[in-house]
Amino acid sequence: MKQNPKIIYNREEMCDLNIKALKSRGVEIADIAAIAYKQQSKYTPTISYDRCVESVLRLLTYRDIFHYIQLGIEIDRLAEVKAFREPIQSIIEQDLGLFGCDETIGLDIARNYGTIGQTNFGDIDVNKVGIVRDLNEQGKTPGHVHTFLDDIVGALAAAASTRVAQMHNEDIALEGDNQVDIFELAKSHGRTKKI
Ligand code: MG
Protein backbone atom coordinates (compact mmCIF):
# COMPACT_ATOMS: atom_id res chain seq x y z
CA MET A 1 0.00 0.00 0.00
CA LYS A 2 1.29 3.45 -0.91
CA GLN A 3 2.16 5.50 2.16
CA ASN A 4 1.23 9.15 2.36
CA PRO A 5 4.25 11.48 2.33
CA LYS A 6 5.35 12.71 5.73
CA ILE A 7 4.00 16.15 6.64
CA ILE A 8 4.87 16.52 10.32
CA TYR A 9 8.51 17.11 11.22
CA ASN A 10 10.23 17.65 14.55
CA ARG A 11 12.17 20.82 15.26
CA GLU A 12 15.55 19.36 14.42
CA GLU A 13 14.23 18.03 11.11
CA MET A 14 12.61 21.39 10.28
CA CYS A 15 15.88 23.19 11.01
CA ASP A 16 17.78 20.75 8.81
CA LEU A 17 15.29 21.02 5.93
CA ASN A 18 15.38 24.82 6.18
CA ILE A 19 19.19 24.93 6.11
CA LYS A 20 19.17 22.70 3.00
CA ALA A 21 16.43 24.74 1.27
CA LEU A 22 18.22 28.05 1.95
CA LYS A 23 21.54 26.58 0.79
CA SER A 24 19.91 25.34 -2.42
CA ARG A 25 19.07 28.99 -3.15
CA GLY A 26 22.55 30.28 -2.28
CA VAL A 27 21.86 31.44 1.30
CA GLU A 28 24.03 30.34 4.23
CA ILE A 29 23.20 30.73 7.93
CA ALA A 30 26.29 32.95 8.23
CA ASP A 31 24.85 35.33 5.60
CA ILE A 32 21.69 35.85 7.68
CA ALA A 33 23.58 36.11 10.97
CA ALA A 34 25.89 38.72 9.41
CA ILE A 35 22.93 41.02 8.64
CA ALA A 36 21.54 40.53 12.16
CA TYR A 37 24.95 41.36 13.63
CA LYS A 38 25.44 44.40 11.40
CA GLN A 39 22.01 45.75 12.35
CA GLN A 40 22.14 45.13 16.09
CA SER A 41 25.79 46.00 16.71
CA LYS A 42 24.97 49.57 15.63
CA TYR A 43 22.92 49.91 18.81
CA THR A 44 24.81 47.49 21.04
CA PRO A 45 28.45 47.06 19.98
CA THR A 46 29.08 44.33 22.57
CA ILE A 47 26.66 41.74 21.17
CA SER A 48 28.23 38.51 20.01
CA TYR A 49 28.08 37.16 16.47
CA ASP A 50 27.60 33.65 17.89
CA ARG A 51 24.34 34.76 19.46
CA CYS A 52 23.20 35.94 16.04
CA VAL A 53 23.98 32.52 14.57
CA GLU A 54 22.23 30.77 17.45
CA SER A 55 19.19 33.02 17.04
CA VAL A 56 18.93 32.30 13.30
CA LEU A 57 19.17 28.56 13.94
CA ARG A 58 16.50 28.72 16.62
CA LEU A 59 14.14 30.57 14.27
CA LEU A 60 14.61 27.80 11.72
CA THR A 61 13.13 25.29 14.17
CA TYR A 62 9.73 27.05 14.42
CA ARG A 63 6.90 25.39 12.53
CA ASP A 64 5.29 28.54 11.11
CA ILE A 65 8.66 29.77 9.89
CA PHE A 66 9.43 26.34 8.42
CA HIS A 67 6.22 26.50 6.39
CA TYR A 68 6.97 30.03 5.18
CA ILE A 69 10.52 29.17 4.12
CA GLN A 70 9.48 26.01 2.31
CA LEU A 71 6.53 27.74 0.62
CA GLY A 72 8.37 30.93 -0.35
CA ILE A 73 11.33 29.11 -1.84
CA GLU A 74 9.03 26.80 -3.78
CA ILE A 75 7.03 29.73 -5.20
CA ASP A 76 10.28 31.36 -6.39
CA ARG A 77 11.47 28.09 -7.94
CA LEU A 78 8.16 27.50 -9.73
CA ALA A 79 8.22 31.07 -11.06
CA GLU A 80 11.73 30.44 -12.40
CA VAL A 81 10.44 27.49 -14.47
CA LYS A 82 7.35 29.52 -15.45
CA ALA A 83 4.95 27.07 -13.79
CA PHE A 84 2.33 29.70 -12.89
CA ARG A 85 -0.35 31.02 -15.18
CA GLU A 86 -0.62 34.68 -16.10
CA PRO A 87 -1.00 37.24 -14.74
CA ILE A 88 0.57 35.99 -11.50
CA GLN A 89 3.55 34.37 -13.33
CA SER A 90 4.86 37.72 -14.55
CA ILE A 91 3.93 39.56 -11.35
CA ILE A 92 6.09 37.19 -9.27
CA GLU A 93 8.81 36.76 -11.89
CA GLN A 94 9.26 40.51 -12.34
CA ASP A 95 8.93 41.19 -8.60
CA LEU A 96 6.28 43.87 -9.03
CA GLY A 97 6.87 46.64 -6.48
CA LEU A 98 3.25 46.76 -5.34
CA PHE A 99 2.80 42.96 -5.10
CA GLY A 100 3.28 42.88 -1.33
CA CYS A 101 2.51 39.20 -0.58
CA ASP A 102 6.23 38.58 -0.08
CA GLU A 103 6.47 41.46 2.42
CA THR A 104 3.41 40.09 4.23
CA ILE A 105 5.29 36.86 4.88
CA GLY A 106 8.36 38.83 5.97
CA LEU A 107 6.31 40.93 8.37
CA ASP A 108 4.66 37.86 9.84
CA ILE A 109 8.02 36.20 10.48
CA ALA A 110 9.36 39.41 12.06
CA ARG A 111 6.16 39.73 14.16
CA ASN A 112 7.46 36.88 16.32
CA TYR A 113 9.64 39.58 17.86
CA GLY A 114 7.01 42.30 18.13
CA THR A 115 6.95 45.82 16.79
CA ILE A 116 10.73 46.15 16.98
CA GLY A 117 11.09 42.97 14.94
CA GLN A 118 8.84 44.48 12.29
CA THR A 119 10.60 47.84 12.18
CA ASN A 120 13.94 46.03 11.97
CA PHE A 121 12.52 44.10 9.00
CA GLY A 122 11.46 47.38 7.39
CA ASP A 123 14.99 48.70 7.81
CA ILE A 124 16.54 45.66 6.10
CA ASP A 125 13.85 45.65 3.41
CA VAL A 126 14.50 49.29 2.51
CA ASN A 127 18.29 49.42 2.91
CA LYS A 128 19.01 45.95 1.48
CA VAL A 129 22.34 44.88 2.90
CA GLY A 130 24.50 41.78 2.42
CA ILE A 131 22.79 38.69 1.04
CA VAL A 132 19.43 40.52 0.79
CA ARG A 133 21.02 42.97 -1.64
CA ASP A 134 22.68 40.11 -3.57
CA LEU A 135 19.39 38.20 -3.84
CA ASN A 136 17.58 41.31 -4.95
CA GLU A 137 20.14 42.06 -7.66
CA GLN A 138 20.37 38.45 -8.85
CA GLY A 139 16.57 38.31 -8.96
CA LYS A 140 16.62 40.99 -11.65
CA THR A 141 18.73 38.83 -13.97
CA PRO A 142 17.16 36.33 -16.41
CA GLY A 143 16.36 32.89 -14.99
CA HIS A 144 16.45 33.98 -11.32
CA VAL A 145 13.47 34.72 -9.09
CA HIS A 146 14.02 35.67 -5.44
CA THR A 147 10.79 37.58 -4.92
CA PHE A 148 9.85 35.70 -1.73
CA LEU A 149 13.30 34.66 -0.56
CA ASP A 150 14.73 38.16 -0.13
CA ASP A 151 11.91 39.05 2.28
CA ILE A 152 12.14 35.76 4.15
CA VAL A 153 15.89 36.14 4.61
CA GLY A 154 15.53 39.80 5.63
CA ALA A 155 12.84 38.87 8.14
CA LEU A 156 14.94 36.06 9.63
CA ALA A 157 17.82 38.52 10.06
CA ALA A 158 15.49 41.11 11.64
CA ALA A 159 13.96 38.58 14.03
CA ALA A 160 17.41 37.27 15.00
CA SER A 161 18.68 40.82 15.52
CA THR A 162 15.71 41.62 17.77
CA ARG A 163 16.10 38.38 19.74
CA VAL A 164 19.76 39.21 20.39
CA ALA A 165 18.73 42.67 21.64
CA GLN A 166 16.18 41.10 23.97
CA MET A 167 18.77 38.65 25.29
CA HIS A 168 21.15 41.55 25.89
CA ASN A 169 18.44 43.40 27.84
CA GLU A 170 17.81 40.28 29.89
CA ASP A 171 21.53 40.12 30.70
CA ILE A 172 21.42 43.72 31.92
CA ALA A 173 18.27 43.09 33.93
CA LEU A 174 19.89 40.13 35.67
CA GLU A 175 22.94 42.14 36.72
CA GLY A 176 23.22 43.73 40.17
CA ASP A 177 20.23 43.80 42.48
CA ASN A 178 17.55 43.23 39.92
CA GLN A 179 17.61 39.46 39.93
CA VAL A 180 14.21 37.95 40.54
CA ASP A 181 13.58 34.25 40.95
CA ILE A 182 10.15 33.90 39.32
CA PHE A 183 9.56 30.58 41.03
CA GLU A 184 10.14 32.11 44.45
CA LEU A 185 7.96 35.04 43.44
CA ALA A 186 5.23 32.66 42.28
CA LYS A 187 5.24 31.01 45.72
CA SER A 188 4.32 34.32 47.29
CA HIS A 189 1.39 34.45 44.87
CA GLY A 190 0.08 31.10 46.03
CA ARG A 191 1.79 28.74 43.63
CA THR A 192 2.01 25.33 45.19
CA LYS A 193 2.90 23.06 42.29
CA LYS A 194 5.99 22.98 40.12
CA ILE A 195 5.23 24.61 36.81
MG1 MG B 1 10.54 40.47 -2.28
Side-chain angles (χ1 to χ4, degrees):
M1 199 173 82
K2 196 178 168 230
Q3 276 207 319
N4 286 332
K6 176 172 171 159
I7 57 171
I8 298 174
Y9 297 89
N10 66 41
R11 293 181 71 173
E12 195 178 335
E13 289 170 332
M14 289 189 286
C15 186
D16 195 41
L17 286 166
N18 281 334
I19 291 170
K20 284 190 184 132
L22 290 164
K23 213 183 259 281
S24 78
R25 304 293 292 174
V27 179
E28 302 286 338
I29 301 307
D31 297 326
I32 307 174
I35 299 177
Y37 182 81
K38 189 176 164 86
Q39 181 175 64
Q40 202 48 241
S41 60
K42 273 189 287 192
Y43 308 108
T44 317
T46 55
I47 62 156
S48 85
Y49 171 75
D50 287 350
R51 268 194 176 176
C52 296
V53 172
E54 188 235 322
S55 295
V56 173
L57 289 172
R58 191 168 295 270
L59 290 163
L60 298 187
T61 71
Y62 296 151
R63 198 165 304 276
D64 285 359
I65 290 179
F66 168 65
H67 293 150
Y68 276 144
I69 292 172
Q70 299 296 320
L71 176 68
I73 284 179
E74 194 59 6
I75 292 173
D76 284 349
R77 190 189 66 78
L78 289 170
E80 280 180 359
V81 297
K82 302 188 186 294
F84 292 100
R85 290 182 292 182
E86 295 297 354
I88 203 66
Q89 170 63 39
S90 293
I91 291 171
I92 297 172
E93 194 180 339
Q94 292 177 40
D95 198 2
L96 176 69
L98 291 179
F99 175 51
C101 299
D102 45 346
E103 275 91 359
T104 303
I105 289 181
L107 279 170
D108 205 52
I109 291 173
R111 194 178 292 132
N112 283 286
Y113 288 87
T115 314
I116 306 301
Q118 289 184 295
T119 54
N120 281 342
F121 169 63
D123 171 40
I124 293 166
D125 188 40
V126 169
N127 295 310
K128 300 199 193 309
V129 292
I131 189 75
V132 171
R133 185 192 56 232
D134 298 344
L135 288 170
N136 195 262
E137 282 171 11
Q138 193 186 38
K140 290 177 185 151
T141 60
H144 296 100
V145 177
H146 296 311
T147 300
F148 281 81
L149 185 61
D150 62 350
D151 293 282
I152 288 170
V153 167
L156 289 170
S161 151
T162 314
R163 180 176 183 270
V164 169
Q166 289 184 358
M167 289 171 81
H168 181 70
N169 274 247
E170 182 69 4
D171 290 346
I172 293 169
L174 290 173
E175 279 169 12
D177 298 324
N178 296 326
Q179 292 193 34
V180 177
D181 182 333
I182 57 163
F183 297 112
E184 281 304 312
L185 185 64
K187 270 187 204 161
S188 70
H189 286 264
R191 178 180 72 88
T192 53
K193 284 187 184 152
K194 200 170 190 317
I195 50 174

